[in-house]
């Protein structure tokens, strides 16, 4: 599977999770490069198999670099994903995300329910980077507008939560794998973002998002721990064992 590809994955992600993201890509069998200087990002993106962008811990340098890399990836048909971290609580990030998508729409846009609502112009109540309980709704209602969002933008939308919604505007996949411990350590959403980027380098977009999300969350389910610290440590071990997973463990409902 991925361990035989050795793909280079360019990540412009936030410093809070950068080490975990790099190690996760290595555990999947690919090579991470976490370059963010504007003078080098285009050439590095050009030599990469996929690109992962993340709006967490936003700053001017990465804002410039992400725009440059997005344009490069789009112009050279390199698959890339944008993680909408914090757009529901930051007008700066929201406006930037809209500008980037208008200039170079990603292959995949990822966010939680609050972030996806804010980006799509719906009412959102988030006060931080986590989804707000007020934004939660019947999952099948979410499917309707998320499907419209994907169709309108022409990309795959990944809305993460207790049940993940992944759609390309035609097909909707509801994934109910995962465990509560993923919310007990920081950066797990960022790690899923780069996991999807790693799969994008080897699989078609919708298939890559579904596979990456399922494998990632099954790994979380299989991680034995006594708390957040041991979960953090052993989770990568389970990611590394991904090739041994039985896909019958995937909990997926597919809607037309």
């Amino acid at each position: 599977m991925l361990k035989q590809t050795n793909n280079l994955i360019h990540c412009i992600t936030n410093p809070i999770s950068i080490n975990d993201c790099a190690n996760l890509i290595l555990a999947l069998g690919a090579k991470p490069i976490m370059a963010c200087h504007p003078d080098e990002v285009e050439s590095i993106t050009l030599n990469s198999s996929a690109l992962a962008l993340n709006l967490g811990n936003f700053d001017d340098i990465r804002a410039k670099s992400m725009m440059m890399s997005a344009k490069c990836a789009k112009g050279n048909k390199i698959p890339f994903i944008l993680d909408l971290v914090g757009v529901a609580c930051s007008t700066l990030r929201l406006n930037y995300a809209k500008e980037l998508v208008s200039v170079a729409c990603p292959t995949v846009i990822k966010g939680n329910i609050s972030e996806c609502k804010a980006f799509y112009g719906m009412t959102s109540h988030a006060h931080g980077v986590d989804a707000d309980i007020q934004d939660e709704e019947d999952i099948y209602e979410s499917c309707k507008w998320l499907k419209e969002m994907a169709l309108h933008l022409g990309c795959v939308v990944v809305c993460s939560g207790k049940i993940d919604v992944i759609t390309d505007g035609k097909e909707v996949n509801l994934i109910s794998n995962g465990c509560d411990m993923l919310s007990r350590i920081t950066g797990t959403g960022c790690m899923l973002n780069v996991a999807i980027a790693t799969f994008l380098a080897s699989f078609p977009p919708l298939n890559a998002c579904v596979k990456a999300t399922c494998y990632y969350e099954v790994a979380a389910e299989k991680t034995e721990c006594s708390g957040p610290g041991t979960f953090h440590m052993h989770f990568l071990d389970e990611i590394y064992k991904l090739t041994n997973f039985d896909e019958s463990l995937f909990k997926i409902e597919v809607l037309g």
Side-chain angles (χ1 to χ4, degrees):
M1 201 181 75
L2 296 177
K3 288 184 171 60
Q4 298 174 346
T5 63
N6 218 27
N7 288 319
L8 182 66
I9 311 300
H10 184 195
C11 305
I12 304 179
T13 189
N14 71 77
I16 297 167
S17 62
I18 193 168
N19 184 65
D20 286 331
C21 288
N23 283 329
L24 182 132
I25 292 170
L26 287 168
L28 287 171
K31 289 184 176 180
I33 185 164
M34 323 305 274
C36 65
H37 195 288
D39 289 347
E40 67 175 1
V41 291
E42 287 181 312
S43 60
I44 288 175
T45 296
L46 190 59
N47 287 288
S48 300
S49 298
L51 170 69
L53 304 178
N54 182 302
L55 299 182
N57 201 235
F58 200 59
D59 62 40
D60 291 341
I61 293 295
R62 282 188 294 113
K64 181 177 180 179
S65 295
M66 284 191 287
M67 188 68 72
M68 294 172 69
S69 285
K71 291 178 181 178
C72 179
K74 191 72 174 181
N76 291 279
K77 298 182 179 179
I78 297 166
F80 72 108
I81 180 170
L82 172 66
D83 198 336
L84 302 172
V85 180
V87 299
C89 67
S90 166
T91 303
L92 172 67
R93 298 188 200 189
L94 178 60
N95 290 339
Y96 176 84
K98 289 183 175 180
E99 181 185 0
L100 187 148
V101 171
S102 69
V103 170
C105 187
T107 314
V108 180
I109 291 177
K110 173 188 170 292
N112 60 39
I113 189 69
S114 296
E115 291 161 349
C116 288
K117 280 187 169 182
F119 184 80
Y120 200 45
M122 302 171 70
T123 300
S124 175
H125 301 88
H127 299 294
V129 298
D130 296 322
D132 193 285
I133 192 169
Q134 295 182 76
D135 293 324
E136 295 178 1
E137 59 190 359
D138 178 79
I139 193 68
Y140 296 104
E141 287 301 313
S142 298
C143 289
K144 294 176 183 177
W145 62 265
L146 286 166
K147 188 176 180 180
E148 291 174 359
M149 177 178 168
L151 191 62
H152 174 72
L153 294 172
C155 68
V156 176
V157 172
V158 176
C159 184
S160 59
K162 291 182 180 178
I163 298 178
D164 306 295
V165 181
I166 301 176
T167 178
D168 61 355
K170 299 176 183 178
E171 178 183 302
V172 180
N173 290 263
L174 301 178
I175 299 171
S176 53
N177 289 106
C179 71
D180 180 64
M181 197 58 72
L182 283 169
S183 65
R184 301 295 179 181
I185 60 172
T186 190
T188 53
C190 305
M191 292 167 72
L192 175 59
N193 190 54
V194 301
I196 291 173
T198 305
F199 276 75
L200 279 174
S202 298
F203 299 97
L206 182 63
N207 187 242
C209 293
V210 172
K211 280 183 176 291
T213 302
C214 287
Y215 276 122
Y216 182 87
E217 294 183 349
V218 169
E221 292 174 355
K222 292 169 70 69
T223 301
E224 296 182 4
C225 66
S226 55
T230 50
F231 178 83
H232 189 199
M233 178 173 60
H234 293 303
F235 180 47
L236 276 180
D237 292 343
E238 295 301 332
I239 291 288
Y240 184 74
K241 300 173 187 174
L242 282 177
T243 51
N244 297 325
F245 283 7
D246 182 351
E247 293 196 8
S248 65
L249 296 173
F250 296 176
K251 301 173 185 176
I252 306 174
E253 180 182 357
V254 180
L255 307 176

